[in-house]
Amino acid sequence: MKNTIAKNSIKAVLFGSAIAMTTLASAALPTQWQLDDAHTRVGFSVNHLGFSTTMGHFNDVKGMVNYNIKAPNKANMNFTIVTDSIDTNWDARDAHLKKDEFFNVAKYPTMTFKSTNITFKNPQQATVTGDFTLLGQTKPLTLDVTLNKIANSPMTKEPVIGFRATGVIDRAAYGMTAFASGITTEVPIQIDGELIEKKAATKNKAK
């Protein structure tokens, strides 16, 4: 009984979202978007010696998305993360992570992701595959993306796309093998953010 109720609730949410998105589509939404710096977070977590989970994020992330709600599977995106902006809430650890054995920020100041294919499972969920470049090496990466909401912001009165993307990066595959016996090499990542129309980025940033 509970499973039936849960399934019906999920269907109702997806159906409601589909109607909302269809309505918005007729309102001539923009097709070029970029990350809203003030409302975007690229986070990660690693297991530390089996004792605890250490979490961090990057403070400097830029991203562009071409997305037409009427043709979602034709969307594409690219993101650039400044490696020197890593923040784990401890300056000494951050300094260590910036050295050669980890992110080597002096030689590799950025890491990037560029999508190669986007497949929507339903109006709110998509699988995004693309090329992720870290430490000068490029390998395939798959992200599971959920569109939380597409609507006009009550603050700016302009359209916003809210989303979450998750995936796992094998740091060892890119040559980052330091302390592999004590710090996990399989690193879960989570990107929570908002997309705003490209031309409105500066205007909306602080709101």
Side-chain angles (χ1 to χ4, degrees):
M1 180 66 176
K2 291 182 178 179
N3 288 337
T4 301
I5 294 174
K7 288 179 180 179
N8 288 337
S9 297
I10 292 172
K11 288 180 180 178
V13 169
L14 293 178
F15 181 69
S17 298
I19 292 176
M21 291 180 185
T22 301
T23 301
L24 282 170
S26 64
L29 281 173
T31 58
Q32 291 191 323
W33 307 78
Q34 72 179 59
L35 289 175
D36 180 357
D37 297 346
H39 301 104
T40 298
R41 183 180 187 277
V42 177
F44 63 89
S45 61
V46 294
N47 181 280
H48 179 249
L49 301 173
F51 293 116
S52 63
T53 298
T54 297
M55 292 180 280
H57 63 276
F58 293 89
N59 290 314
D60 192 345
V61 183
K62 296 291 183 289
M64 295 293 301
V65 176
N66 292 313
Y67 172 70
N68 185 337
I69 196 171
K70 296 179 181 179
N73 288 322
K74 294 182 180 180
N76 62 76
M77 61 185 67
N78 63 82
F79 299 101
T80 298
I81 301 171
V82 176
T83 53
D84 188 57
S85 71
I86 193 169
D87 185 349
T88 63
N89 201 35
W90 187 24
D91 291 344
R93 178 169 53 221
D94 294 343
H96 188 192
L97 290 171
K98 294 176 185 181
K99 292 183 177 179
D100 294 1
E101 59 189 345
F102 284 104
F103 285 95
N104 195 358
V105 301
K107 186 175 182 180
Y108 303 106
T110 63
M111 50 185 174
T112 61
F113 176 79
K114 183 176 182 180
S115 68
T116 54
N117 184 68
I118 297 179
T119 302
F120 273 80
K121 304 173 184 177
N122 57 56
Q124 283 186 284
Q125 296 177 307
T127 299
V128 179
T129 55
D131 296 324
F132 179 65
T133 301
L134 171 64
L135 297 177
Q137 297 190 49
T138 301
K139 299 181 184 299
L141 174 64
T142 298
L143 299 174
D144 292 316
V145 178
T146 298
L147 299 182
N148 300 324
K149 185 178 181 179
I150 303 177
N152 286 336
S153 165
M155 301 291 291
T156 65
K157 311 302 181 186
E158 302 210 10
V160 176
I161 298 177
F163 72 94
R164 168 172 289 182
T166 59
V168 177
I169 294 172
D170 179 5
R171 65 181 179 92
Y174 296 85
M176 191 188 293
T177 56
F179 300 94
S181 60
I183 302 175
T184 48
T185 56
E186 296 285 322
V187 182
I189 59 172
Q190 180 172 305
I191 307 167
D192 291 281
E194 294 181 13
L195 296 169
I196 53 179
E197 187 178 3
K198 182 180 178 182
K199 67 179 182 181
T202 301
K203 179 169 57 179
N204 290 347
K205 182 176 178 181
K207 297 184 179 181

